[in-house]
Amino acid sequence: MKHLISAGDLGRDDALLILDTAEELARVSERSIKKLPTLRGRTVVNLFFEDSTRTRISFEAAAKRLSADVINFSAKGSSVSKGESLKDTALTLEAMGADAVVIRHGASGAPHRLANWVRGSVVNAGDGTHEHPTQALLDAFSMRRRLGRLEGLKVAVVGDILHSRVARSNVLLLSALGAEVTLVAPPTLLPVAVENWPCQVSYDLDSVLPKSDVVMMLRVQLERQNAAFFPSAREYSRRYGLDRDRVAKLHDDAIVMHPGPMNRGMEISAEVADSPRSTIVEQVANGVTVRMAVLYLLLGGAIGGDVQ
Ligand code: NCD
């Protein structure tokens, strides 16, 4: 595997290799000295054209823990704001000898194009409303750590599916790993061809909750909404928000996830977000280990020896 652009490119074996490698690397993250020499002398460029907090920092921490040199590029304050194209930016990176380029871009398909222009590995850190494969990997990793398995797990993904690259990547990855996904949203926030996705669809959160092992709440992406997709924030919360009363419908071991950033009080109440069922903070920590595994495997570090 050279690039990671879509969760759909990962078969079950590839996905499990990444999760198992992350599990080994997690042990390193628990040590006081977190650094491994594996990617010494290699250069990872973080190319972020869209705002990000956790994903950018997470990739940076992951690359640094593997001793790679990290160059952070954000479009604001760069020549992109002077109109430089993605291709010219890519050629500049190429000239600087990037071994891996981690890209977040507002246009779906940008990482795919970039892969044609650079020699190094391309990792998709979120492209438009298309995909966010490392988020799906860290979500699967977090589920497996809490619940001990993925096969047969019932996962409800709830909210703004239409604008969510996290939802698509999760459906593709989780179905490959044998979990059963149900998307829950108002009809206006579901993509047109959703019936072709490998999952179930429901408009009724209350009926899905009692049979779910995992409830993944998604942010309502107001910045991508150019029309009224629901009557009001209050009405949205009333039907699709996860609050204490709804959580009471879950079985005892069920967990609550959210990729962040959250609209507290809209799709999830503060109380639920901070409750023991919530994996939100673990997801961030697991993100670093999973991204270490991805960089490690893509850049060809040999697992074994120095991970012990
Ligand atoms: C997500 C994203 O950017 O796609 N966040 C993330 O990467 N942690 C989801 C979102 O923006 O709501």
Side-chain angles (χ1 to χ4, degrees):
M1 199 169 60
K2 172 148 191 225
H3 307 295
L4 179 57
I5 292 174
S6 162
D9 296 339
L10 295 171
R12 189 186 138 81
D13 290 349
D14 297 321
L16 287 175
L17 176 64
I18 296 171
L19 300 186
D20 293 343
T21 304
E23 203 62 65
E24 286 195 50
L25 291 166
R27 278 188 252 128
V28 178
S29 303
E30 283 152 17
R31 299 200 299 229
S32 54
I33 296 168
K34 299 183 169 58
K35 222 162 163 127
L36 284 174
T38 324
L39 297 184
R40 189 180 287 150
R42 317 295 288 279
T43 300
V44 175
V45 175
N46 279 329
L47 189 60
F48 278 64
F49 293 89
E50 248 191 19
D51 296 341
S52 172
T53 307
R54 64 216 90 214
T55 304
R56 190 178 54 73
I57 293 172
S58 182
F59 270 109
E60 182 174 355
K64 286 183 169 164
R65 281 189 199 170
L66 294 172
S67 305
D69 293 319
V70 181
I71 298 174
N72 286 315
F73 171 101
S74 74
K76 282 196 192 101
S78 75
S79 291
V80 170
S81 55
K82 299 179 184 165
E84 187 163 38
S85 67
L86 178 61
K87 184 164 186 182
D88 286 328
T89 307
L91 295 176
T92 303
L93 299 175
E94 185 65 30
M96 290 178 188
D99 295 294
V101 181
V102 177
I103 177 173
R104 169 167 288 198
H105 199 286
S108 302
H112 183 79
R113 308 227 46 201
L114 184 68
N116 294 323
W117 298 323
V118 296
R119 260 192 304 262
S121 294
V122 173
V123 182
N124 181 2
D127 63 328
T129 58
H130 178 232
E131 281 223 42
H132 193 352
T134 60
Q135 179 70 42
L137 285 161
L138 79 87
D139 290 337
F141 183 82
S142 303
M143 289 176 211
R144 196 175 73 166
R145 276 211 142 181
R146 273 274 187 127
L147 301 170
R149 69 195 165 100
L150 289 164
E151 189 82 49
L153 271 192
K154 294 195 164 39
V155 182
V157 180
V158 185
D160 187 356
I161 313 288
L162 179 65
H163 300 101
S164 179
R165 49 201 179 202
V166 176
R168 187 194 309 269
S169 289
N170 261 293
V171 167
L172 294 172
L173 184 73
L174 289 170
S175 65
L177 290 168
E180 295 164 31
V181 183
T182 303
L183 300 176
V184 185
T188 50
L189 286 177
L190 284 165
V192 259
V194 74
E195 58 279 2
N196 301 328
W197 295 23
C199 62
Q200 309 281 310
V201 174
S202 169
Y203 308 138
D204 180 10
L205 180 56
D206 291 305
S207 69
V208 172
L209 289 176
K211 42 187 190 214
S212 301
D213 302 303
V214 177
V215 189
M216 185 186 295
M217 303 307 295
L218 297 175
R219 186 173 67 90
V220 179
Q221 300 197 26
L222 297 167
E223 81 280 17
R224 292 191 212 272
Q225 300 190 2
N226 51 7
F229 288 91
F230 45 85
S232 68
R234 194 147 164 248
E235 177 64 12
Y236 181 86
S237 295
R238 202 177 63 74
R239 301 219 28 204
Y240 294 99
L242 194 64
D243 58 10
R244 185 202 311 190
D245 293 345
R246 287 219 161 91
V247 163
K249 297 183 199 276
L250 292 170
H251 70 69
D252 288 349
D253 298 328
I255 58 171
V256 172
M257 308 183 75
H258 193 304
M262 290 182 270
N263 297 307
R264 283 177 185 253
M266 191 164 179
E267 71 267 0
I268 189 166
S269 73
E271 185 187 355
V272 172
D274 300 331
S275 71
R277 287 184 190 273
S278 161
T279 64
I280 296 169
V281 177
E282 280 152 63
Q283 284 170 267
V284 176
N286 291 338
V288 177
T289 8
V290 166
R291 290 174 175 123
M292 283 171 79
V294 166
L295 292 172
Y296 185 76
L297 292 167
L298 288 181
L299 296 182
I303 191 109
D306 49 13
V307 182
Q308 303 307 314

